[in-house]
Amino acid sequence: MSTAFPLRAEHLLGPYVARLAALDDVVAPIVVGCSGGADSLALLALVRAAGHETCAVYVDHGLRPAALDHDVVEAAAARLGAGFR
């Protein structure tokens, strides 16, 4: 299946990557509130890909089983080289 307007990651993520570049002067680790959902995990990955020291802080919104999400966030932080709390 093809679309008339194919979506490319660069097109979709470009504005966010540009905003992350503005954080280059930040000295302290960037804290990313991370629930285990796709959006917060993507933010964590983007911040790490931009080269920032990062700490993922698990946030339980009460929408899914917390134990599973906690483990997902902890594993993602370890895989990406981020701290975890």
Side-chain angles (χ1 to χ4, degrees):
M1 182 169 121
S2 66
T3 62
F5 303 101
L7 298 177
R8 298 190 181 278
E10 299 85 9
H11 176 72
L12 295 172
L13 300 177
Y16 302 103
V17 173
R19 287 182 183 176
L20 286 172
L23 299 176
D24 285 345
D25 294 332
V26 174
V27 176
I30 295 174
V31 176
V32 176
C34 204
S35 65
D39 54 347
S40 61
L41 290 172
L43 177 60
L44 177 62
L46 281 170
V47 173
R48 285 298 299 139
H52 296 289
E53 183 181 350
T54 310
C55 182
V57 175
Y58 173 67
V59 177
D60 180 7
H61 295 297
L63 302 174
R64 296 183 296 266
L68 298 176
D69 285 339
H70 176 277
D71 294 345
V72 166
V73 174
E74 187 173 22
R79 199 169 45 251
L80 294 168
F84 174 76
R85 299 272 187 266

